[in-house]
Amino acid sequence: MGRARLATQTHPSGGQATVTATYAHVAELAGWLNLSEAGILHLAGSDRLRFLQGQTTNDLRLLLPDRGLYTAFCTPTGHLLSDGYVLEADDGFLLVLPPETWGDIADRLSKAIILDDVVVLSLQEELSLLSVQGGSASDLLEEIGIAPPPALPLAHHTHLWQKAEIRIIYNDRTGFGGFDLLVPYTILEELQTALVASACLPIDAALATVLRYEAGVPQAGVDWNERTLAAELHEAFVQSHISYTKGCYVGQEVLMRIHARGHTNRRWTPLRVAGTTPPPRGTPLSAPDRPDAGWITGAVISPALDGAVLAWGFLRNEYLAPGTTLQVGTEPPMLATVLPGAPRPARWLAL
């Protein structure tokens, strides 16, 4: 199928039709996500490693000059404040955080600096985050003259493009593979034009939600909030974001107790829902022996499940076994079956 035929979605924008990527387009070629509202912080100073090591869940001693780490920030009680990732770059650390959380994390880090030689700067005015995702993302970047790093979680390097430095990071947000690009605003429009000219089209919000749910990527403020324990997200998130061997950090005591116990009381889990209408966020899930077995955080029509409804939600441990059937609290009620995992898991862990 030709590139033009894969891109058939149009949306009105200011009276003009905007062409956006379809699911098939992303699967076969690539599309791009506008993540310009994400937070990009730079931490510098001789105490930066010790300081950030005590604030975040992963072991930053494992950072390499060309490989970053996923991480998270928690309250002292182990509740999740933010996810994100850290890179060693520009004589310091680059910290990339979701739009929903970065302001609070920047404020927390700044307030935690007392006698430390640490400086926290926001790069919001200088850099934008754009993510190219899809089955041919690597080839497409090469086509426009940008050399991608290896397809390893958070492998990264810089590349000079149109006389400006872009940092390219392998970060799979969709299960199809892809790259985050930290782009100076001076060339952002030119880069977007080059991507569209190569049939890499923007991914709209609805498709982005489908792709991230199929990949098992939770979103701050939607799938988790400050009442969610970091260990309650699925196993791939826990393995890639949390260290149980690094020593003290905010929330470590509670997370270590959970780890020693072997489980939390609930976990974020995928389900296949009967019917054709995705149940709304917050819909309760019940079992024959328990009316409050869990609740749904979001649901979509999933091409990866042949058009069935894919939902994610928090379930109590007793109901996590794949194949377990639960009742969805819609009117009329529907049935949901627990899936063994995300239909197309994001590559957060090195193979």
PDB file of all heavy atoms in Angstrom, residues 213-214 216 234 267-273 298 305 309-315 319-324 326 336-343:
ATOM      1  N   TYR A 213      -2.464   2.530  24.849  1.00  0.00           N
ATOM      2  CA  TYR A 213      -3.126   1.442  25.576  1.00  0.00           C
ATOM      3  C   TYR A 213      -2.716   0.081  25.016  1.00  0.00           C
ATOM      4  O   TYR A 213      -2.510  -0.870  25.773  1.00  0.00           O
ATOM      5  CB  TYR A 213      -4.647   1.604  25.544  1.00  0.00           C
ATOM      6  CG  TYR A 213      -5.189   2.489  26.643  1.00  0.00           C
ATOM      7  CD1 TYR A 213      -6.253   3.350  26.410  1.00  0.00           C
ATOM      8  CD2 TYR A 213      -4.639   2.466  27.915  1.00  0.00           C
ATOM      9  CE1 TYR A 213      -6.753   4.169  27.413  1.00  0.00           C
ATOM     10  CE2 TYR A 213      -5.137   3.270  28.927  1.00  0.00           C
ATOM     11  CZ  TYR A 213      -6.190   4.122  28.673  1.00  0.00           C
ATOM     12  OH  TYR A 213      -6.685   4.924  29.679  1.00  0.00           O
ATOM     13  N   GLU A 214      -2.587  -0.021  23.707  1.00  0.00           N
ATOM     14  CA  GLU A 214      -2.125  -1.299  23.141  1.00  0.00           C
ATOM     15  C   GLU A 214      -0.709  -1.619  23.589  1.00  0.00           C
ATOM     16  O   GLU A 214      -0.336  -2.781  23.713  1.00  0.00           O
ATOM     17  CB  GLU A 214      -2.203  -1.249  21.621  1.00  0.00           C
ATOM     18  CG  GLU A 214      -3.625  -1.243  21.085  1.00  0.00           C
ATOM     19  CD  GLU A 214      -3.709  -1.362  19.575  1.00  0.00           C
ATOM     20  OE1 GLU A 214      -2.678  -1.154  18.899  1.00  0.00           O
ATOM     21  OE2 GLU A 214      -4.806  -1.659  19.067  1.00  0.00           O
ATOM     22  N   GLY A 216       0.518  -0.593  26.534  1.00  0.00           N
ATOM     23  CA  GLY A 216       0.578  -0.662  27.994  1.00  0.00           C
ATOM     24  C   GLY A 216       1.275   0.511  28.634  1.00  0.00           C
ATOM     25  O   GLY A 216       1.953   0.353  29.654  1.00  0.00           O
ATOM     26  N   HIS A 234       1.907  -2.047  36.068  1.00  0.00           N
ATOM     27  CA  HIS A 234       2.217  -3.418  35.652  1.00  0.00           C
ATOM     28  C   HIS A 234       3.712  -3.724  35.754  1.00  0.00           C
ATOM     29  O   HIS A 234       4.554  -2.837  35.948  1.00  0.00           O
ATOM     30  CB  HIS A 234       1.686  -3.688  34.242  1.00  0.00           C
ATOM     31  CG  HIS A 234       2.200  -2.753  33.195  1.00  0.00           C
ATOM     32  ND1 HIS A 234       3.520  -2.676  32.838  1.00  0.00           N
ATOM     33  CD2 HIS A 234       1.566  -1.835  32.417  1.00  0.00           C
ATOM     34  CE1 HIS A 234       3.677  -1.787  31.881  1.00  0.00           C
ATOM     35  NE2 HIS A 234       2.504  -1.244  31.618  1.00  0.00           N
ATOM     36  N   ARG A 267      -3.414  -4.138  40.944  1.00  0.00           N
ATOM     37  CA  ARG A 267      -2.459  -3.874  39.869  1.00  0.00           C
ATOM     38  C   ARG A 267      -3.212  -3.374  38.636  1.00  0.00           C
ATOM     39  O   ARG A 267      -4.340  -3.777  38.374  1.00  0.00           O
ATOM     40  CB  ARG A 267      -1.678  -5.141  39.531  1.00  0.00           C
ATOM     41  CG  ARG A 267      -0.753  -4.975  38.325  1.00  0.00           C
ATOM     42  CD  ARG A 267       0.355  -5.987  38.314  1.00  0.00           C
ATOM     43  NE  ARG A 267       1.376  -5.673  39.304  1.00  0.00           N
ATOM     44  CZ  ARG A 267       2.514  -6.341  39.433  1.00  0.00           C
ATOM     45  NH1 ARG A 267       2.766  -7.373  38.655  1.00  0.00           N
ATOM     46  NH2 ARG A 267       3.390  -5.991  40.342  1.00  0.00           N
ATOM     47  N   TRP A 268      -2.535  -2.491  37.900  1.00  0.00           N
ATOM     48  CA  TRP A 268      -3.081  -1.976  36.640  1.00  0.00           C
ATOM     49  C   TRP A 268      -2.972  -3.068  35.580  1.00  0.00           C
ATOM     50  O   TRP A 268      -1.882  -3.573  35.302  1.00  0.00           O
ATOM     51  CB  TRP A 268      -2.307  -0.731  36.230  1.00  0.00           C
ATOM     52  CG  TRP A 268      -2.953   0.094  35.172  1.00  0.00           C
ATOM     53  CD1 TRP A 268      -4.180   0.673  35.206  1.00  0.00           C
ATOM     54  CD2 TRP A 268      -2.369   0.466  33.916  1.00  0.00           C
ATOM     55  NE1 TRP A 268      -4.409   1.391  34.050  1.00  0.00           N
ATOM     56  CE2 TRP A 268      -3.316   1.276  33.244  1.00  0.00           C
ATOM     57  CE3 TRP A 268      -1.158   0.203  33.286  1.00  0.00           C
ATOM     58  CZ2 TRP A 268      -3.090   1.815  31.984  1.00  0.00           C
ATOM     59  CZ3 TRP A 268      -0.915   0.738  32.043  1.00  0.00           C
ATOM     60  CH2 TRP A 268      -1.870   1.528  31.395  1.00  0.00           C
ATOM     61  N   THR A 269      -4.104  -3.435  34.985  1.00  0.00           N
ATOM     62  CA  THR A 269      -4.214  -4.676  34.221  1.00  0.00           C
ATOM     63  C   THR A 269      -5.057  -4.465  32.961  1.00  0.00           C
ATOM     64  O   THR A 269      -6.053  -3.737  32.999  1.00  0.00           O
ATOM     65  CB  THR A 269      -4.886  -5.757  35.105  1.00  0.00           C
ATOM     66  OG1 THR A 269      -4.135  -5.888  36.312  1.00  0.00           O
ATOM     67  CG2 THR A 269      -4.954  -7.099  34.403  1.00  0.00           C
ATOM     68  N   PRO A 270      -4.704  -5.125  31.849  1.00  0.00           N
ATOM     69  CA  PRO A 270      -5.520  -5.015  30.631  1.00  0.00           C
ATOM     70  C   PRO A 270      -6.671  -6.022  30.621  1.00  0.00           C
ATOM     71  O   PRO A 270      -6.546  -7.139  31.144  1.00  0.00           O
ATOM     72  CB  PRO A 270      -4.514  -5.324  29.517  1.00  0.00           C
ATOM     73  CG  PRO A 270      -3.530  -6.257  30.156  1.00  0.00           C
ATOM     74  CD  PRO A 270      -3.436  -5.858  31.591  1.00  0.00           C
ATOM     75  N   LEU A 271      -7.769  -5.617  30.003  1.00  0.00           N
ATOM     76  CA  LEU A 271      -8.950  -6.472  29.886  1.00  0.00           C
ATOM     77  C   LEU A 271      -9.538  -6.351  28.486  1.00  0.00           C
ATOM     78  O   LEU A 271      -9.455  -5.296  27.852  1.00  0.00           O
ATOM     79  CB  LEU A 271     -10.032  -6.080  30.898  1.00  0.00           C
ATOM     80  CG  LEU A 271      -9.649  -5.995  32.365  1.00  0.00           C
ATOM     81  CD1 LEU A 271      -9.516  -4.548  32.789  1.00  0.00           C
ATOM     82  CD2 LEU A 271     -10.660  -6.729  33.232  1.00  0.00           C
ATOM     83  N   ARG A 272     -10.149  -7.426  28.042  1.00  0.00           N
ATOM     84  CA  ARG A 272     -10.925  -7.411  26.790  1.00  0.00           C
ATOM     85  C   ARG A 272     -12.391  -7.356  27.189  1.00  0.00           C
ATOM     86  O   ARG A 272     -12.891  -8.233  27.909  1.00  0.00           O
ATOM     87  CB  ARG A 272     -10.627  -8.662  25.973  1.00  0.00           C
ATOM     88  CG  ARG A 272     -11.333  -8.701  24.633  1.00  0.00           C
ATOM     89  CD  ARG A 272     -10.979  -9.963  23.872  1.00  0.00           C
ATOM     90  NE  ARG A 272     -11.561  -9.989  22.535  1.00  0.00           N
ATOM     91  CZ  ARG A 272     -10.882 -10.266  21.439  1.00  0.00           C
ATOM     92  NH1 ARG A 272      -9.588 -10.553  21.505  1.00  0.00           N
ATOM     93  NH2 ARG A 272     -11.467 -10.265  20.265  1.00  0.00           N
ATOM     94  N   VAL A 273     -13.089  -6.315  26.714  1.00  0.00           N
ATOM     95  CA  VAL A 273     -14.471  -6.080  27.110  1.00  0.00           C
ATOM     96  C   VAL A 273     -15.401  -6.504  25.985  1.00  0.00           C
ATOM     97  O   VAL A 273     -15.198  -6.130  24.821  1.00  0.00           O
ATOM     98  CB  VAL A 273     -14.700  -4.602  27.456  1.00  0.00           C
ATOM     99  CG1 VAL A 273     -16.156  -4.347  27.847  1.00  0.00           C
ATOM    100  CG2 VAL A 273     -13.773  -4.169  28.589  1.00  0.00           C
ATOM    101  N   GLY A 298      -9.504   3.507  31.537  1.00  0.00           N
ATOM    102  CA  GLY A 298      -9.662   3.944  30.161  1.00  0.00           C
ATOM    103  C   GLY A 298      -9.907   2.764  29.247  1.00  0.00           C
ATOM    104  O   GLY A 298      -9.554   1.622  29.575  1.00  0.00           O
ATOM    105  N   LEU A 305      -6.627  -6.066  18.803  1.00  0.00           N
ATOM    106  CA  LEU A 305      -7.558  -7.104  19.257  1.00  0.00           C
ATOM    107  C   LEU A 305      -8.664  -7.314  18.229  1.00  0.00           C
ATOM    108  O   LEU A 305      -9.780  -7.711  18.574  1.00  0.00           O
ATOM    109  CB  LEU A 305      -8.161  -6.731  20.611  1.00  0.00           C
ATOM    110  CG  LEU A 305      -7.207  -6.644  21.808  1.00  0.00           C
ATOM    111  CD1 LEU A 305      -7.974  -6.320  23.078  1.00  0.00           C
ATOM    112  CD2 LEU A 305      -6.408  -7.934  21.973  1.00  0.00           C
ATOM    113  N   VAL A 309     -12.932  -4.250  22.234  1.00  0.00           N
ATOM    114  CA  VAL A 309     -12.681  -3.178  23.202  1.00  0.00           C
ATOM    115  C   VAL A 309     -11.560  -3.604  24.148  1.00  0.00           C
ATOM    116  O   VAL A 309     -11.634  -4.660  24.785  1.00  0.00           O
ATOM    117  CB  VAL A 309     -13.948  -2.852  24.010  1.00  0.00           C
ATOM    118  CG1 VAL A 309     -13.639  -1.829  25.103  1.00  0.00           C
ATOM    119  CG2 VAL A 309     -15.045  -2.320  23.086  1.00  0.00           C
ATOM    120  N   LEU A 310     -10.528  -2.782  24.207  1.00  0.00           N
ATOM    121  CA  LEU A 310      -9.417  -2.977  25.133  1.00  0.00           C
ATOM    122  C   LEU A 310      -9.563  -1.963  26.257  1.00  0.00           C
ATOM    123  O   LEU A 310      -9.679  -0.760  26.001  1.00  0.00           O
ATOM    124  CB  LEU A 310      -8.085  -2.776  24.420  1.00  0.00           C
ATOM    125  CG  LEU A 310      -6.833  -2.666  25.299  1.00  0.00           C
ATOM    126  CD1 LEU A 310      -6.548  -3.972  26.035  1.00  0.00           C
ATOM    127  CD2 LEU A 310      -5.623  -2.232  24.464  1.00  0.00           C
ATOM    128  N   ALA A 311      -9.565  -2.440  27.481  1.00  0.00           N
ATOM    129  CA  ALA A 311      -9.632  -1.554  28.651  1.00  0.00           C
ATOM    130  C   ALA A 311      -8.444  -1.833  29.560  1.00  0.00           C
ATOM    131  O   ALA A 311      -7.872  -2.922  29.549  1.00  0.00           O
ATOM    132  CB  ALA A 311     -10.941  -1.764  29.413  1.00  0.00           C
ATOM    133  N   TRP A 312      -8.081  -0.820  30.319  1.00  0.00           N
ATOM    134  CA  TRP A 312      -7.114  -0.985  31.396  1.00  0.00           C
ATOM    135  C   TRP A 312      -7.772  -0.526  32.684  1.00  0.00           C
ATOM    136  O   TRP A 312      -8.583   0.404  32.691  1.00  0.00           O
ATOM    137  CB  TRP A 312      -5.850  -0.168  31.152  1.00  0.00           C
ATOM    138  CG  TRP A 312      -4.922  -0.766  30.143  1.00  0.00           C
ATOM    139  CD1 TRP A 312      -5.003  -0.667  28.789  1.00  0.00           C
ATOM    140  CD2 TRP A 312      -3.762  -1.572  30.418  1.00  0.00           C
ATOM    141  NE1 TRP A 312      -3.968  -1.346  28.193  1.00  0.00           N
ATOM    142  CE2 TRP A 312      -3.179  -1.905  29.168  1.00  0.00           C
ATOM    143  CE3 TRP A 312      -3.141  -2.025  31.588  1.00  0.00           C
ATOM    144  CZ2 TRP A 312      -2.027  -2.693  29.081  1.00  0.00           C
ATOM    145  CZ3 TRP A 312      -1.996  -2.795  31.489  1.00  0.00           C
ATOM    146  CH2 TRP A 312      -1.446  -3.123  30.244  1.00  0.00           C
ATOM    147  N   GLY A 313      -7.432  -1.202  33.768  1.00  0.00           N
ATOM    148  CA  GLY A 313      -7.989  -0.807  35.046  1.00  0.00           C
ATOM    149  C   GLY A 313      -7.236  -1.438  36.192  1.00  0.00           C
ATOM    150  O   GLY A 313      -6.378  -2.306  36.001  1.00  0.00           O
ATOM    151  N   PHE A 314      -7.549  -0.994  37.378  1.00  0.00           N
ATOM    152  CA  PHE A 314      -6.949  -1.566  38.583  1.00  0.00           C
ATOM    153  C   PHE A 314      -7.837  -2.700  39.093  1.00  0.00           C
ATOM    154  O   PHE A 314      -9.042  -2.511  39.286  1.00  0.00           O
ATOM    155  CB  PHE A 314      -6.774  -0.498  39.655  1.00  0.00           C
ATOM    156  CG  PHE A 314      -5.613   0.415  39.374  1.00  0.00           C
ATOM    157  CD1 PHE A 314      -5.816   1.639  38.771  1.00  0.00           C
ATOM    158  CD2 PHE A 314      -4.322   0.030  39.703  1.00  0.00           C
ATOM    159  CE1 PHE A 314      -4.747   2.483  38.503  1.00  0.00           C
ATOM    160  CE2 PHE A 314      -3.241   0.862  39.434  1.00  0.00           C
ATOM    161  CZ  PHE A 314      -3.453   2.081  38.837  1.00  0.00           C
ATOM    162  N   LEU A 315      -7.218  -3.857  39.295  1.00  0.00           N
ATOM    163  CA  LEU A 315      -7.920  -5.032  39.804  1.00  0.00           C
ATOM    164  C   LEU A 315      -7.269  -5.508  41.088  1.00  0.00           C
ATOM    165  O   LEU A 315      -6.038  -5.474  41.226  1.00  0.00           O
ATOM    166  CB  LEU A 315      -7.870  -6.182  38.790  1.00  0.00           C
ATOM    167  CG  LEU A 315      -8.621  -6.021  37.476  1.00  0.00           C
ATOM    168  CD1 LEU A 315      -8.445  -7.281  36.635  1.00  0.00           C
ATOM    169  CD2 LEU A 315     -10.091  -5.755  37.728  1.00  0.00           C
ATOM    170  N   TYR A 319      -8.145 -11.316  41.308  1.00  0.00           N
ATOM    171  CA  TYR A 319      -8.779 -11.390  39.988  1.00  0.00           C
ATOM    172  C   TYR A 319      -7.805 -11.110  38.840  1.00  0.00           C
ATOM    173  O   TYR A 319      -8.219 -10.847  37.722  1.00  0.00           O
ATOM    174  CB  TYR A 319      -9.951 -10.398  39.936  1.00  0.00           C
ATOM    175  CG  TYR A 319     -10.863 -10.536  41.127  1.00  0.00           C
ATOM    176  CD1 TYR A 319     -10.842  -9.597  42.157  1.00  0.00           C
ATOM    177  CD2 TYR A 319     -11.689 -11.648  41.252  1.00  0.00           C
ATOM    178  CE1 TYR A 319     -11.651  -9.752  43.268  1.00  0.00           C
ATOM    179  CE2 TYR A 319     -12.499 -11.802  42.372  1.00  0.00           C
ATOM    180  CZ  TYR A 319     -12.473 -10.852  43.379  1.00  0.00           C
ATOM    181  OH  TYR A 319     -13.261 -11.019  44.488  1.00  0.00           O
ATOM    182  N   LEU A 320      -6.509 -11.198  39.110  1.00  0.00           N
ATOM    183  CA  LEU A 320      -5.508 -10.861  38.099  1.00  0.00           C
ATOM    184  C   LEU A 320      -5.187 -11.997  37.133  1.00  0.00           C
ATOM    185  O   LEU A 320      -4.558 -11.750  36.095  1.00  0.00           O
ATOM    186  CB  LEU A 320      -4.205 -10.423  38.786  1.00  0.00           C
ATOM    187  CG  LEU A 320      -4.242  -9.087  39.523  1.00  0.00           C
ATOM    188  CD1 LEU A 320      -2.904  -8.829  40.206  1.00  0.00           C
ATOM    189  CD2 LEU A 320      -4.574  -7.952  38.567  1.00  0.00           C
ATOM    190  N   ALA A 321      -5.583 -13.199  37.422  1.00  0.00           N
ATOM    191  CA  ALA A 321      -5.223 -14.329  36.563  1.00  0.00           C
ATOM    192  C   ALA A 321      -5.815 -14.161  35.169  1.00  0.00           C
ATOM    193  O   ALA A 321      -7.013 -13.863  35.026  1.00  0.00           O
ATOM    194  CB  ALA A 321      -5.708 -15.636  37.179  1.00  0.00           C
ATOM    195  N   PRO A 322      -4.999 -14.327  34.118  1.00  0.00           N
ATOM    196  CA  PRO A 322      -5.534 -14.226  32.753  1.00  0.00           C
ATOM    197  C   PRO A 322      -6.709 -15.185  32.551  1.00  0.00           C
ATOM    198  O   PRO A 322      -6.680 -16.334  33.004  1.00  0.00           O
ATOM    199  CB  PRO A 322      -4.337 -14.629  31.884  1.00  0.00           C
ATOM    200  CG  PRO A 322      -3.146 -14.286  32.705  1.00  0.00           C
ATOM    201  CD  PRO A 322      -3.539 -14.573  34.126  1.00  0.00           C
ATOM    202  N   GLY A 323      -7.748 -14.670  31.878  1.00  0.00           N
ATOM    203  CA  GLY A 323      -8.940 -15.472  31.653  1.00  0.00           C
ATOM    204  C   GLY A 323     -10.033 -15.244  32.674  1.00  0.00           C
ATOM    205  O   GLY A 323     -11.178 -15.675  32.470  1.00  0.00           O
ATOM    206  N   THR A 324      -9.724 -14.569  33.785  1.00  0.00           N
ATOM    207  CA  THR A 324     -10.737 -14.263  34.793  1.00  0.00           C
ATOM    208  C   THR A 324     -11.805 -13.348  34.184  1.00  0.00           C
ATOM    209  O   THR A 324     -11.498 -12.378  33.499  1.00  0.00           O
ATOM    210  CB  THR A 324     -10.104 -13.563  36.006  1.00  0.00           C
ATOM    211  OG1 THR A 324      -9.121 -14.420  36.588  1.00  0.00           O
ATOM    212  CG2 THR A 324     -11.164 -13.217  37.054  1.00  0.00           C
ATOM    213  N   LEU A 326     -15.002 -10.771  34.650  1.00  0.00           N
ATOM    214  CA  LEU A 326     -15.591  -9.807  35.574  1.00  0.00           C
ATOM    215  C   LEU A 326     -16.764  -9.110  34.905  1.00  0.00           C
ATOM    216  O   LEU A 326     -16.882  -9.120  33.675  1.00  0.00           O
ATOM    217  CB  LEU A 326     -14.551  -8.773  36.000  1.00  0.00           C
ATOM    218  CG  LEU A 326     -13.313  -9.322  36.714  1.00  0.00           C
ATOM    219  CD1 LEU A 326     -12.206  -8.274  36.743  1.00  0.00           C
ATOM    220  CD2 LEU A 326     -13.660  -9.762  38.119  1.00  0.00           C
ATOM    221  N   ALA A 336     -16.002  -8.599  31.027  1.00  0.00           N
ATOM    222  CA  ALA A 336     -14.610  -8.291  30.694  1.00  0.00           C
ATOM    223  C   ALA A 336     -13.742  -9.472  31.097  1.00  0.00           C
ATOM    224  O   ALA A 336     -13.960 -10.082  32.148  1.00  0.00           O
ATOM    225  CB  ALA A 336     -14.148  -7.032  31.405  1.00  0.00           C
ATOM    226  N   THR A 337     -12.772  -9.781  30.251  1.00  0.00           N
ATOM    227  CA  THR A 337     -11.858 -10.894  30.505  1.00  0.00           C
ATOM    228  C   THR A 337     -10.448 -10.358  30.679  1.00  0.00           C
ATOM    229  O   THR A 337      -9.959  -9.570  29.859  1.00  0.00           O
ATOM    230  CB  THR A 337     -11.893 -11.904  29.345  1.00  0.00           C
ATOM    231  OG1 THR A 337     -13.240 -12.344  29.148  1.00  0.00           O
ATOM    232  CG2 THR A 337     -11.005 -13.102  29.645  1.00  0.00           C
ATOM    233  N   VAL A 338      -9.781 -10.791  31.735  1.00  0.00           N
ATOM    234  CA  VAL A 338      -8.417 -10.337  32.011  1.00  0.00           C
ATOM    235  C   VAL A 338      -7.464 -10.893  30.958  1.00  0.00           C
ATOM    236  O   VAL A 338      -7.483 -12.091  30.647  1.00  0.00           O
ATOM    237  CB  VAL A 338      -7.965 -10.778  33.419  1.00  0.00           C
ATOM    238  CG1 VAL A 338      -6.506 -10.390  33.671  1.00  0.00           C
ATOM    239  CG2 VAL A 338      -8.876 -10.174  34.485  1.00  0.00           C
ATOM    240  N   LEU A 339      -6.637 -10.024  30.393  1.00  0.00           N
ATOM    241  CA  LEU A 339      -5.648 -10.417  29.392  1.00  0.00           C
ATOM    242  C   LEU A 339      -4.300 -10.703  30.059  1.00  0.00           C
ATOM    243  O   LEU A 339      -4.001 -10.161  31.129  1.00  0.00           O
ATOM    244  CB  LEU A 339      -5.476  -9.308  28.353  1.00  0.00           C
ATOM    245  CG  LEU A 339      -6.706  -8.999  27.483  1.00  0.00           C
ATOM    246  CD1 LEU A 339      -6.460  -7.762  26.641  1.00  0.00           C
ATOM    247  CD2 LEU A 339      -7.048 -10.190  26.602  1.00  0.00           C
ATOM    248  N   PRO A 340      -3.453 -11.513  29.422  1.00  0.00           N
ATOM    249  CA  PRO A 340      -2.137 -11.807  30.019  1.00  0.00           C
ATOM    250  C   PRO A 340      -1.165 -10.634  29.985  1.00  0.00           C
ATOM    251  O   PRO A 340      -0.172 -10.640  30.722  1.00  0.00           O
ATOM    252  CB  PRO A 340      -1.620 -12.976  29.171  1.00  0.00           C
ATOM    253  CG  PRO A 340      -2.359 -12.875  27.877  1.00  0.00           C
ATOM    254  CD  PRO A 340      -3.711 -12.324  28.217  1.00  0.00           C
ATOM    255  N   GLY A 341      -1.425  -9.643  29.148  1.00  0.00           N
ATOM    256  CA  GLY A 341      -0.532  -8.498  29.059  1.00  0.00           C
ATOM    257  C   GLY A 341      -1.001  -7.555  27.976  1.00  0.00           C
ATOM    258  O   GLY A 341      -2.043  -7.762  27.342  1.00  0.00           O
ATOM    259  N   ALA A 342      -0.248  -6.486  27.769  1.00  0.00           N
ATOM    260  CA  ALA A 342      -0.569  -5.532  26.708  1.00  0.00           C
ATOM    261  C   ALA A 342      -0.534  -6.236  25.356  1.00  0.00           C
ATOM    262  O   ALA A 342       0.312  -7.100  25.121  1.00  0.00           O
ATOM    263  CB  ALA A 342       0.421  -4.376  26.721  1.00  0.00           C
ATOM    264  N   PRO A 343      -1.450  -5.896  24.440  1.00  0.00           N
ATOM    265  CA  PRO A 343      -1.447  -6.552  23.126  1.00  0.00           C
ATOM    266  C   PRO A 343      -0.142  -6.391  22.357  1.00  0.00           C
ATOM    267  O   PRO A 343       0.275  -7.291  21.632  1.00  0.00           O
ATOM    268  CB  PRO A 343      -2.604  -5.851  22.389  1.00  0.00           C
ATOM    269  CG  PRO A 343      -3.511  -5.370  23.468  1.00  0.00           C
ATOM    270  CD  PRO A 343      -2.605  -4.992  24.604  1.00  0.00           C
TER     271      PRO A 343
END
